[in-house]
Amino acid sequence: MNSLMARRAVNWIMTGLCGLALAIALVPLVSLLWLVISRGLAGLSWSFFTALPAPVGETGGGVGNAIAGTLYIVGIACLIGVPFGVGAGVYLAERGDTRLGDGIRFIAEVLSGVPSIVVGIVAYGLVVIPMRRFSALAGGVALAVLMVPTLARSTEELIRLVPHELREASLALGVPQWRTSLRVVLRTALGGIMTAILLTVARAAGETAPLLFTSLNNQYWNWRADQPTASLTVQIYNYAVSPYAEWHDRAWTSALILLLLVGSLALAGRLLSRRRVR
Amino acid sequence: MRPKVEVRSLNAWFKANHALRNVSLTVPANTVLAIIGPSGCGKTTFVRCLNRMHELVPGACQSGNVLVDGQDLHARRVDPVNLRRRVGMVFQRANPFPTMTIFDNVVAGLKLNGVRGDYPALVEKSLRQAALWDEVKDRLRQSAVSLSGGQQQRLCIARALAVDPEVLLMDEPASALDPIATARIEELIRGLRESLTIVIVTHNMQQAARVSDSTAFFYMGELIEHGPTEQIFTNPRESRTEDYVTGKFG
Amino acid sequence: MRPKVEVRSLNAWFKANHALRNVSLTVPANTVLAIIGPSGCGKTTFVRCLNRMHELVPGACQSGNVLVDGQDLHARRVDPVNLRRRVGMVFQRANPFPTMTIFDNVVAGLKLNGVRGDYPALVEKSLRQAALWDEVKDRLRQSAVSLSGGQQQRLCIARALAVDPEVLLMDEPASALDPIATARIEELIRGLRESLTIVIVTHNMQQAARVSDSTAFFYMGELIEHGPTEQIFTNPRESRTEDYVTGKFG
Amino acid sequence: MKAHTDKTYDLQLDDLRNKLLTLGGYVETEIATTMRALTERDSKLAETVIGQDREVNRLEIEIDEACRRLLVLRQPAASDLRFITTALKIVVDLERIGDLAVNIAERAIDLNQSPPLKPIPDLSRLADLGQRQVRAALDAFVEADPDKAEQVIKNDDLLDSLYHNLVNELLALMMEDPRNIRRANSLLFVAKHLERIGDHATNVAEMVIYMVRGTDIRHPGSRK
Amino acid sequence: MKAHTDKTYDLQLDDLRNKLLTLGGYVETEIATTMRALTERDSKLAETVIGQDREVNRLEIEIDEACRRLLVLRQPAASDLRFITTALKIVVDLERIGDLAVNIAERAIDLNQSPPLKPIPDLSRLADLGQRQVRAALDAFVEADPDKAEQVIKNDDLLDSLYHNLVNELLALMMEDPRNIRRANSLLFVAKHLERIGDHATNVAEMVIYMVRGTDIRHPGSRK
Amino acid sequence: MQTASEIATAAREPERPPESAPARVNVPDRVWSGSLLLLGFAVLAVAAIIVAELVHIGGPAISHTGVLAFVRNSVWDVTRDVFGALPFIYGTLVTSAVALVLALPISVGLALFLTEMAPPSVRSIVSFPISLLAGIPSVVYGLWGLFVLVPLLRRPIEPLLAKTLGFLPLFQGPPIGLGYLAAGIVLAIMILPTITSIAIEVLQTVPGTLREAALALGATRWEAIRVSVLPYARAGIVGATMLGLGRALGETMAVTMVIGNSPSIRASLFAPGYSLPAVIANEFAEASGDLHTAALAALGLLLFAVTVALNVAARLLVRISRRGPTRVAA
Ligand SMILES: Nc1ncnc2c1ncn2[C@@H]1O[C@H](COP(=O)(O)OP(=O)(O)OP(=O)(O)O)[C@@H](O)[C@H]1O
Ligand SMILES: Nc1ncnc2c1ncn2[C@@H]1O[C@H](COP(=O)(O)OP(=O)(O)OP(=O)(O)O)[C@@H](O)[C@H]1O
Ligand SMILES: [Mg+2]
Ligand SMILES: [Mg+2]
Ligand SMILES: O=P([O-])([O-])[O-]
C-alpha cells in the first residue's frame, strides 16, 4: 500500500542511508589524518626539514633533500607543462569548435585518464634512455606530461565559463580577435586558471609512481637536472616498505610534510578562487 | 537624403538553414528602426549582418550587400574590426566586463585598441549620453558588476557610445529588464537618435511602437513589411503584418 | 461564499530579509488572482507561501496564516506533501521531466502518489484541459523535450492539472514565451478558471489585466492594493497603484 | 476574418460589435416609432420612445466601458484599434440620434394637444430617408463596407435638400396663417432633428470608412 | 502631478492636453465672434468664423490621431486611459460647438441681407451664458476639477429656461407680424444652436467628472 | 515603401548558400590563430609520444611472447624470460571491481546527501574534508593501508567475513591482510572522492526547478530525487563511475603497498595478488635486462590500452545516453 505514511518512511530511510554514506566516508579520512598528524608530529623536528636522511640505526636525520627535490622536480614540470597545458586549453576554448578541436579535446580527456605509472615509462623512454641516467629532468617531464591534459581541459572549461556575450561585446567594440582573447577573455578567466594551475601542481607534487624510475631517488642534495633526485613521495614509499620500525616513523613524518605541502598549495588555490567569486 | 544604412537583397545562412531571405531596406540617418517578428524569424541574424558579427558564427555565410554611408561592408578594403567601431552593438543581456571598473568598462573600446585620449571627459560624456552619469559618478572605480541589471545595460550602451559609433545596433536590449528599467532605456534610445542611427530588435511590439520611427516586420526570414511605425501599428499594408500586430498569429 | 484561499497577516523572511510584510487577502473559488509589482517586491515569495514551497528555502521562515478551504496550511495535521497536491504550481521556465515521455510527464504526479487509474483517459483529459492534446496526441511516447517552449509550458500545466488540484499557482508562466505562446497560455488560464482557483504572478501588467478577475499590487513586500482587476487598471484607489499601472514609478 | 490567437479577445470584440448593433437597432425603431406617433397622433406611442431611450443610454455607457476595457486589457493595434476607437465615437452619434428621436416624440406629444395641421408628406419622406440612412450606416459598419458608407455620405445631400424644401414649405404655412406658427414651428424642429439624424448617420459612415481603410475622410477641406 | 518614468510619455500627454485647450480656445472665440457678427450685423466677421472652423476641424483630426497614437504606443491605464478616452469624446463636442457657431454665423449672414429685427437682449444673454459654460467646462477639464464641472452641469438648467423664454418671445414676434417670420425663425435656430452649445458644454463637464473620479455620471436615470 | 512581393520580383532569391570564401582576417589575428593551433597540437604530440614510446620500449617483449600468449599466460618468470600478464590483469580487475562495488553506493549516497538533503551548514562543513580526501597523495593512502587497514583486516575483519560469508569462495582462506581485499578497500577510499565530486557536480547541474516541479506535484524529497534528479543525472553518474574505474585500474602506489605482490591468481579476496601498475612500479627500476624492461613496458601498454578503451567507452556511453531525453532544450 502506497500510503502517505509508507512514502514518508521510505523518504526517511533513504535520507538515513545517504547520511550513513557520509559517516562511512569520513571514517578512513579521520583515521588517516589522525595517524598522519599524531605519528607524524612525533618525529617532527627542525632538522627533519633540513637534514639528509640518516641510515638505519641512526637517530636524527631528515628529508631536506627530498623536500627540495620535490620542489625542484615540480618546478621543472611547471616550466614545461604549464605553457603547453594552458595554451592547449586556450586553443580548445577559442578554436576548438572544429572537428580537429573535437579530436584534440577527446584525446586530452583520454590522456587525463592515463595512469601515471604509464607516463613514467614514457618519460623513461624519452629522457632516461637517451641520457642513460635517472634524472630530475626525467621526473619533471613525467609530471609535465601528466599536467598537460588536465590543465588543458580545466583551462578550456574556465575560459568557456566566460560568457560568450563578453567576447561579442569586445568584438562589437571593434577590438581584434587576439586582443579580445588575451585582454578580455583570458583576463576574465585568469583567476580561475591560476587556481587550476595550483591544484594541478598540488596533484603533481603528490605523484609517486612516475618518479620511481625517472628521478629515482638520491641520498644527497642535488641541484642538477641530469642527476637522480630525491622526492618526498618516493622517500615515503621507501620508508614505508622498509622493514625498520624507525623508518616507518619517518614515513609518517614525511607524509605529514607532504600533506602540508600539497594541502597548502590546494588551499592557496581555493582561497584564490574564493576571492575571485567575491 | 542618402540613407545611413542600406541593405540590398541580403541573404544569410547557418549552414543549410536559410535564415534571411532577400531582405532589402534602408535606414535614414538619425532615425530608429525597430525590427519585430516572431521568435526565430531572423531578427538577431539581421542585425548581426549589419556589423559583420554574423560571419563569426561557424558555418554562417551570406550574400547581398549592406552599405553604411554608401560603402559596402564587404568591400575588400573594409576591415571588420574597424567597421565594428563605426557600427556599435548592445546585446540582450547586459555584458559589462566583470574584471573592469565602471570607468574602465566605458573606455574599454578605446583602451583595448590602444587609443589615447582624455578618458575622464570621455567617460563623463558617454555616461551622460547613456543617462547613467548621475547614478554612478561617485563610484566610477567600483566594479561594473556592482550595478543593477538596468544600470549594467546602460553601462553597456555607454561603452558602445564611447567609441563614437555612427550606427547602434541593439538586440532586445530591454528584454531582461523590469518595466522601470525598460522605460529608462526606451527614453534613452529616443534621446540617442539625435546623434546616431539606431536599429533595435524587440519582441515587444509596444516597445517597437514607442521607440522607433520606422518598423520592419520579419517573418520566417523574410521582410514582410517596412514602413513608418505609426502606419505599421495603426494601418499596416500587409495582412500578415496586420495579423501579427493585432495578435492573430498561429 | 467562503473564500478558497485566505491569507491572514502573512509575513515571510529570508534570514533577516523581511520579504513579505503583513499580507492579508482572500481569493474566492473559481477566480483568477493576479499578483503584480516591481521586481523583488515579494510576488514569488507570496505564491510560494501558498503551497509551503517557501519553507524549502534554507533560512526562510514565516508567520501568519494561510487557509485553503478554511484549513490552516500550517496546522499540525497538514502534511506539506499532501498539500502540494491540492495546491499545484507552474513555474516561470517550463520544467518537464526531461527523461520522461510526454505521457509519463502528465501522469508523473499520479504515479508518485501511487494513484491507479485509467491513465490514458486521464492524460487525454489533462492535455485537453491544457489545450495541448491536439498538438501532441500522435506523439505521446516522444520525449517531453521534443516540444517547443510554449508546448512544454502547457505540458507542465497539464502535469499539474493531472493530480486534480484545487488551486493552481503560476509564477510568471509566460515570461519565457513568445507572444503567440503567451496568448495560448492566457486563454488557457481563463478556461481553467471554470474548474480551479488560480493565482498568477506576472511582471506584465497587461497580462494581469487580461487574465485575472482580481489583482493584487505588491510593493516592497507589502500588499498595497487588492481589488477587481478592472478597477485596479482603470481606477485604482491607491496612488502608488495608480503610479505603477500608469508607469510613473521610480 | 481571421481569428485572434486569443479566443476571448474575439469574443470581447464580438460582444462590443453586438452591443453596437443592438444600440443601432434600438435607435432605428425609435425613429420609426416616433414618426408613427407623430403621424398617427399617438401620444402613448411617443412615450414608449422616451422609455426606450433609457435602454439606449444604458447601452451607451456599457459600450464605453467595454471599449475602455478592451483598450486596457488588449492593447489593440491596427484594425482592432481603429474598430474600438470608432466604436467610442459611433456610440456618441447613435445615442444622439436616440435623443433626437426623443425630442421628436416630445414635439409629437405637444402637437397632439392641438388640432392637426394639414398633412405634410415631405416630413414622412424626410423621416423615411433619415431612418434609411441610419440603417445603411449601420449596415456599412457591420459589413465593414466602405462603399456602402460612401453611399450614405452621398445620400446626405438628398436629405439636406429635402429638408430645405420642407423648411420653406413650413415657413410658407406660417405666413399663410399665424395660428399655424406654433405648430409649424414644432414641425420645423422635427425636420431639423431629422436632418441632424441624417448628419449623425453621415458621421457614422465617415468613421466606418476610417475604420476600414485607415484614412480619415472627415473635413476634407481642412486637412493640413 | 507625478511624472511618468518615461518623459516622452508625459510630453505626448501634455501635447494632447494643449491641443485640446487650443481647440477649446478656438471654439470659445468662434462663439464670441459669431455673436458679435450677429449683433453688429457684420458679415465679414461671420465669414472669419467659417474660416476659423477649418482650424478646428484640423485639430479634431489631429487630436484623434494623437489619442490613437497614445493608445497604441503607451497602453495607458487608469487615469491616463480615462484622460485619453475622454479626450476622444470631448473633441467631438468641441468640434460640434464649432460647427454650431458656424451655423449661427451662416444665419447671421442670412439675416444681414434683410433689415434688422428689433433687438432681442435675451439672445445675447443666452450667447453669453453658452460661451461661459464652454469656458467653465474647459477650465474644469484643464484643472481636472470635478466641482467646477458639476457647476457647469447645474448651470445648464439656467440656460435651458432662458432658451425657452426666448423661444416664446420669438414665436410671439412671429405672430405679431408675418413679415418677421423668416427672420425670427432664423433667430429661433440661433437660439436652438446656443442651447445645443450649452448641452455640449454639459457633456464635456460630465466627461471631466468621469475622467477625474472614474465614475460615469451620464444618464443617471438609465443605469442598470 | 517596399513590400515582400516587390522585393521578390526585384531579385531572384538564391536557393543555396554561396560558396563563400572564409572571412578575411587581419594579420595579427592570423598569427594568433596559428600559434593557438600549434599549442593545440601539443596535446596530440603528447598522445603520439606516449604511444610511440610504449610501443618502442614494449614492442620487443610482445614480439618475443606474442600478444595472445602475453595476455593469457599466467606465469611471470623473469629469469626464464617468460612473461605472462594474466595474474596482473586478474589482480587489477578484481581490486577495481571490489573498489567499485564498495565506492559506488557510498559515493552516490554521499553526493545525494550533500546536494539534496543536508542543510547548507552541514554541506559547507563536509564538502571540505571530501575535497581533502581527493587531494591526499596515493602514497599516503598506501601508508595508511599498510599500517592501519592491513592489520585490521588480518584481525578481526577477515576472520569475521570468513565466518559469516565463508560459504562463498571469495571469503575463504587464511586471513593474511595483504591481498585483493585490502587493495580493493584502499582503492574504494581513493576513488570515492573522485566519483563523489563528479556526481555532486552532475547533481548540481540538475535544474532546481525540476526538483521543485516534483515537490510541487506532491512528491516527498526522496521521490523528487528518484523521479526527477536521478534520471536526469544518470548519464553523468555513469560517467563518474567509469572515471573512478579508470583511476582504480591505474592506481599504483597504494595497491603496490597492500596487495601482497604475488603473481598468482586466487579466487579468495583474502589472498595476496599483484596488479599491472604494481608490478611495473616494483620491477621497472631494477629490471634484469632489456627484455624484462620491455615486458614491463608492454604491461604499461596494456594498461594504457585498457584505460583508453575505458575512457572512449565512457565518452560514447555518455553521448548515447545524452541523445535520449537527458537535457532540457536550452
Ligand atoms: N548560431 C546558430 N546556428 C544555427 N542556426 C541558428 C543560429 N542562430 C540562429 N539560428 C537559426 O536562424 C534562424 C533565425 O534566428 P534568429 O536568432 O535570427 O531569430 P530571432 O528572430 O532573433 O529570434 P528570437 O526572437 O528568438 O531571438 C532560426 O531558425 C534559428 O534557429
Ligand atoms: N532564495 C532567496 N534567498 C534570499 N533572499 C531571497 C531569496 N529569494 C528572494 N529573496 C529576496 O526576497 C525579496 C522578494 O523576492 P521575490 O523573489 O519574492 O520577488 P519577486 O517579486 O518575485 O521578484 P521578481 O519579479 O524579480 O521575480 C527580494 O528582496 C529578494 O532579494
Ligand atoms: Mg534574437
Ligand atoms: Mg519572482
Ligand atoms: O448633438 P447635435 O447638436 O450634433 O445634434
Side-chain angles (χ1 to χ4, degrees), chain F residues 72-276:
Chain F
R72 274 204 305 221
N73 198 338
S74 60
V75 178
W76 179 268
D77 189 339
V78 185
T79 51
R80 291 189 294 125
D81 281 350
V82 173
F83 303 114
L86 196 61
F88 312 120
I89 298 175
Y90 176 79
T92 303
L93 291 181
V94 169
T95 49
S96 301
V98 170
L100 262 197
V101 166
L102 293 177
L104 185 60
I106 295 179
S107 305
V108 174
L110 179 54
L112 283 176
F113 186 76
L114 289 185
T115 53
E116 306 285 329
M117 298 165 174
S121 49
V122 173
R123 201 175 307 167
S124 59
I125 292 172
V126 170
S127 66
F128 177 65
I130 298 297
S131 72
L132 263 189
L133 212 48
I136 292 174
S138 56
V139 68
V140 179
Y141 277 111
L143 192 66
W144 178 81
L146 192 59
F147 293 115
V148 179
L149 183 64
V150 168
L152 268 181
L153 282 178
R154 198 174 300 139
R155 222 164 46 136
I157 298 178
E158 283 183 357
L160 200 73
L161 280 175
K163 213 190 282 172
T164 51
L165 297 169
F167 56 91
L168 291 172
L170 282 182
F171 302 107
Q172 292 165 354
I176 303 168
L178 292 172
Y180 296 119
L181 187 59
I185 292 175
V186 173
L187 282 181
I189 296 171
M190 292 178 67
I191 65 174
L192 184 107
T194 311
I195 304 182
T196 306
S197 61
I198 299 175
I200 286 178
E201 255 169 52
V202 167
L203 289 175
Q204 277 170 345
T205 65
V206 178
T209 57
L210 222 54
R211 225 164 275 139
E212 296 202 326
L215 289 176
L217 284 176
T220 63
R221 210 176 260 281
W222 169 249
E223 285 164 345
I225 292 170
R226 183 167 58 75
V227 168
S228 63
V229 176
L230 282 182
Y232 189 94
R234 192 181 48 212
I237 290 177
V238 170
T241 310
M242 300 193 82
L243 286 173
L245 180 61
R247 177 145 193 224
L249 290 179
E251 175 47 44
T252 310
M253 297 320 294
V255 175
T256 309
M257 290 162 86
V258 299
I259 198 170
N261 295 340
S262 146
S264 50
I265 298 177
R266 313 275 180 76
S268 170
L269 293 181
F270 299 169
Y274 225 149
S275 77
L276 288 170

Side-chain angles (χ1 to χ4, degrees), chain E:
Chain E
M1 212 180 201
K2 203 160 169 183
H4 287 85
T5 316
D6 190 328
K7 300 289 167 298
T8 325
Y9 190 4
D10 276 334
L11 293 180
Q12 287 172 335
L13 284 172
D14 278 350
D15 183 50
L16 175 60
R17 197 171 287 119
N18 288 336
K19 282 210 172 90
L20 279 164
L21 288 184
T22 316
L23 181 59
Y26 282 160
V27 162
E28 266 184 66
T29 34
E30 271 189 57
I31 303 173
T33 318
T34 202
M35 289 313 292
R36 249 179 59 214
L38 187 70
T39 47
E40 296 171 12
R41 301 178 59 79
D42 184 342
S43 293
K44 279 253 172 58
L45 210 55
E47 303 219 322
T48 64
V49 173
I50 298 169
Q52 192 164 34
D53 202 50
R54 283 225 188 88
E55 272 304 290
V56 170
N57 292 342
R58 194 181 53 73
L59 261 174
E60 183 196 10
I61 292 176
E62 260 184 56
I63 289 172
D64 273 8
E65 271 167 12
C67 288
R68 279 194 298 263
R69 198 175 313 127
L70 275 161
L71 285 171
V72 86
L73 302 189
R74 297 293 167 178
Q75 295 80 50
S79 56
D80 296 332
L81 176 73
R82 296 201 304 272
F83 171 62
I84 293 167
T85 54
T86 302
L88 269 174
K89 297 242 166 195
I90 280 184
V91 75
V92 176
D93 285 302
L94 293 177
E95 192 270 348
R96 184 71 194 126
I97 291 176
D99 279 358
L100 290 165
V102 169
N103 287 352
I104 294 175
E106 282 164 357
R107 295 280 171 189
I109 293 172
D110 218 32
L111 283 168
N112 290 350
Q113 275 148 19
S114 344
L117 210 62
K118 82 164 207 212
I120 302 168
D122 268 1
L123 198 61
S124 306
R125 295 241 302 283
L126 190 63
D128 230 49
L129 195 54
Q131 195 184 335
R132 255 189 295 150
Q133 286 280 83
V134 172
R135 162 144 337 130
L138 279 171
D139 280 353
F141 171 70
V142 182
E143 293 157 24
D145 182 344
D147 300 334
K148 231 176 216 159
E150 271 173 354
Q151 198 53 47
V152 172
I153 296 167
K154 230 179 264 152
N155 282 353
D156 194 51
D157 289 344
L158 217 74
L159 200 144
D160 277 352
S161 69
L162 204 58
Y163 164 68
H164 282 295
N165 289 350
L166 197 56
V167 168
N168 285 332
E169 208 174 313
L170 287 169
L171 285 179
L173 213 60
M174 287 184 191
M175 289 174 212
E176 245 170 49
D177 183 350
R179 278 171 307 168
N180 289 344
I181 285 181
R182 197 167 276 277
R183 280 171 298 168
N185 181 65
S186 282
L187 288 179
L188 207 62
F189 274 105
V190 170
K192 176 73 194 166
H193 292 331
L194 287 171
E195 188 261 352
R196 283 300 301 150
I197 287 177
D199 284 354
H200 286 294
T202 310
N203 285 354
V204 171
E206 284 171 350
M207 294 306 303
V208 168
I209 290 177
Y210 166 72
M211 180 181 91
V212 180
R213 300 219 176 113
T215 46
D216 206 325
I217 60 150
R218 293 173 298 176
H219 321 305
S222 18
R223 309 231 80 186
K224 269 194 282 199

Side-chain angles (χ1 to χ4, degrees), chain B residues 39-40 42-45 92 171-172 201:
Chain B
S39 193
K43 305 183 292 294
T44 298
T45 310
Q92 177 165 10
D171 189 2
E172 311 202 359
V201 170

Side-chain angles (χ1 to χ4, degrees), chain B residues 233-235 242-243 246-247 249, chain D residues 2 4-5 78-80 82:
Chain B
F233 286 100
T234 63
N235 198 15
E242 164 93 28
D243 289 346
T246 55
F249 241 61
Chain D
K2 202 160 171 185
H4 287 85
T5 314
S79 57
D80 295 332
R82 297 202 304 272

Side-chain angles (χ1 to χ4, degrees), chain C residues 233-235 242-243 246-247 249, chain E residues 2 4-5 77-80 82:
Chain C
F233 286 99
T234 62
N235 198 14
E242 164 95 27
D243 288 347
T246 53
F249 241 62
Chain E
K2 203 160 169 183
H4 287 85
T5 316
S79 56
D80 296 332
R82 296 201 304 272

